[in-house]
Each structure stands twice: as C-alpha cells, then as structure tokens.
Amino acid sequence: MIELIGASKEFIKPSGEIHTVLNNINLIVGKGEFCSIVGPTGCGKSTTLNLIAGFEQPSKGKVQIQGTQLQGINKHAACVFQTENAFPWKTVIDNVSLGLRLDGVKKEEAYSEARKWIEKVGLKGFEGHYPHQLSGGMRKRVALAQCLITQPEILLMDESFSALDVHTRALMENELLSIWEETSASVIFITHDLEEAIALSDRVIVLTAGPAATIKGDYKIDLERPRNVSEIRFDPQFMKLHEQIWNDLRDEVFISYAHANNA
C-alpha cells in the first residue's frame, strides 16, 4: 500500500545551509497494517507522515502508493492531527458529513451516512452540538468520524491523542482499534509514547536522532488481537517488547538531548 524508496528530505535554513531531516528512508507498509513511528523529538516523524500525505515532496528518492509514484496530495489518505480540525461554526453532523458533501454527495444521503459514523464513534445524540459544546475526547471522536466516513485506504495520525488526559486517551485508543478492525485501512501512527505504539500496532518503526534521521529498528508486534490497550500493557510479551524497543530508542533520545544542549 505504502512504499518509501530511498526517501530523503532537505530544507534550506535562513543562513542558506542545507538541513537534512530524513536520509534514505526505506519503508513498506502493507494493506490493512497498523504501523507506528517513534523517535526522539525533531527526528522527522511528522515529516515522514507529510511525505506519505503528499504535503511535502522528497528531496531524493520517492513515495509510492499502491505501486504508483505519489505526485501531489495523496487522495487515498485521510489525516487526523493533534490540533482541532472541526469547523467551530458547524454542528457535529455538518462537520462529519463535510467530506462527502465536498465529493458531491447530496445532503440527505451525506447526513444519513454521517449519522452511522457518529454512532460508531459513540456520539449519537450529539449531532446538533457545536465543537465548543464538546469535551476534548468528543472532539477527537468527531475528527475520527470526519476521516473515516470517506472510507480512506490510508489513515495518517500525528500525535492525535497526545493532548487528552490518560483515561480519555485509553478510551480513544480502544475506540480507534475497534473501528480500524472493521476496515482494511493502512494506518501510519506518529507518537512519542512507546507504550501507545506497542499497544496499538502491528509494527513499530524506530527513527534515529536527527539531523539526517533514518530507520534504526523495525519491530513486529506479535500480540494477539483484539486488544484492550489498558490490559495489554500487563502482558509479559508486551513488557519484553517494550524493553527491547526502548533499549534501541533510549540511545537516540540521549543523542537528541546532547544535540539540543550543544546547540
């Protein structure tokens, strides 16, 4: 479904110096696979997601979607970001149905489909509410419904739950898994939280510290599904995986801190 082939990304600093964020990234994500990317702050996790979304073009190498080189915005993908993406002047049902309306679906049909997704994410009865009338967790549910109603083949999530309290975050993680298991979407999930990455994913990719970050580790998460993210953390295999991946990640975090202190 997704393939990065020798993908690198460079930016030009105000000084004119070339800054390499990502260097020679080679990554394949299969259809229906849930893949998380972790790494120290500033290593290029979000840049990797932006390349897959088509928001940025690689400076070298290429991104392929279903075997075709990506040119421009990835029309197979939908994105859920850390920041709010609901229009404050629109109700829940108007926000959720917007993607279909923009695709030319008639209002009545779009509303009917929106009601199904609003119920799926646990917001039945809130169709007429505005974003400011909802809690943070409820607004994240709206964001999920907004993306999933278009039935994307690829779901891109960038620190989507990081602003939530720990209890709401666990609820949203379980909600995401429940809905994802009903679809065949491939997921790229960016997070700083290694426990979250392991609990959700089929694979966890570890990036090295920047600049010129590359892939250091690619770990298969062979934990049974379906999963409850709160309970799976006590599984001995989970703890073993956490220790193994953290040993890889920890060194990169220390390198990142050293770079920051010397900057």
Side-chain angles (χ1 to χ4, degrees):
M1 179 61 72
I2 303 165
E3 187 171 8
L4 278 70
I5 305 170
S8 299
K9 185 61 182 177
E10 299 172 345
F11 294 98
I12 299 177
K13 295 181 178 181
S15 63
E17 179 185 358
I18 294 177
H19 175 68
T20 302
V21 180
L22 297 171
N23 181 46
N24 194 33
I25 300 294
N26 292 285
L27 175 65
I28 297 175
V29 178
K31 182 177 177 62
E33 191 171 23
F34 198 123
C35 181
S36 287
I37 300 177
V38 298
T41 299
C43 71
K45 298 185 294 296
S46 294
T47 301
T48 304
L49 184 140
N50 288 340
L51 293 180
I52 297 169
F55 299 150
E56 300 278 357
Q57 299 301 310
S59 306
K60 300 175 184 175
K62 58 184 177 179
V63 178
Q64 292 190 164
I65 305 299
Q66 295 181 332
T68 301
Q69 186 168 348
L70 181 62
Q71 301 286 350
I73 299 299
N74 187 347
K75 296 180 180 179
H76 299 273
C79 304
V80 182
F81 298 104
Q82 181 178 354
T83 54
E84 303 292 341
N85 60 349
F87 291 107
W89 60 88
K90 289 183 178 291
T91 61
V92 168
I93 196 166
D94 283 325
N95 270 296
V96 173
S97 63
L98 182 60
L100 294 183
R101 296 295 307 281
L102 292 173
D103 283 340
V105 177
K106 292 182 179 179
K107 184 175 181 179
E108 183 178 343
E109 184 181 346
Y111 268 27
S112 176
E113 189 65 19
R115 289 188 184 96
K116 295 177 186 177
W117 281 99
I118 289 168
E119 184 172 0
K120 275 182 181 286
V121 299
L123 288 178
K124 185 177 181 180
F126 291 90
E127 292 86 351
H129 285 60
Y130 290 89
H132 74 272
Q133 296 172 313
L134 305 176
S135 68
M138 294 168 80
R139 290 195 295 272
K140 285 299 178 187
R141 291 172 187 268
V142 172
L144 272 179
Q146 278 181 301
C147 288
L148 294 171
I149 193 173
T150 61
Q151 299 185 43
E153 296 174 271
I154 299 169
L155 184 61
L156 305 175
M157 306 187 70
D158 191 357
E159 297 282 354
S160 302
F161 304 145
S162 61
L164 301 176
D165 66 79
V166 63
H167 303 295
T168 304
R169 186 170 183 166
L171 288 172
M172 286 303 306
E173 289 166 348
N174 280 325
E175 195 74 49
L176 172 63
L177 285 182
S178 177
I179 295 171
W180 167 73
E181 285 164 0
E182 297 179 13
T183 74
S184 58
S186 303
V187 180
I188 300 291
F189 193 91
I190 305 299
T191 180
H192 281 91
D193 187 332
L194 180 55
E195 286 194 4
E196 180 178 57
I198 297 170
L200 292 174
S201 305
D202 297 314
R203 285 166 66 202
V204 173
I205 306 297
V206 177
L207 294 184
T208 62
T214 191
I215 293 176
K216 182 178 184 181
D218 184 343
Y219 293 89
K220 181 179 179 181
I221 307 302
D222 52 353
L223 299 172
E224 289 186 6
R225 295 192 186 275
R227 300 177 193 164
N228 180 299
V229 297
S230 298
E231 296 173 2
I232 198 69
R233 288 171 165 84
F234 298 102
D235 186 298
Q237 180 62 15
F238 179 98
M239 297 178 187
K240 182 179 179 181
L241 283 164
H242 188 280
E243 180 180 11
Q244 183 183 13
I245 300 172
W246 172 241
N247 285 339
D248 227 0
L249 178 59
R250 176 182 54 206
D251 294 339
E252 301 308 316
V253 172
F254 288 158
I255 291 170
S256 178
Y257 284 155
H259 286 168
N261 289 333
N262 294 328

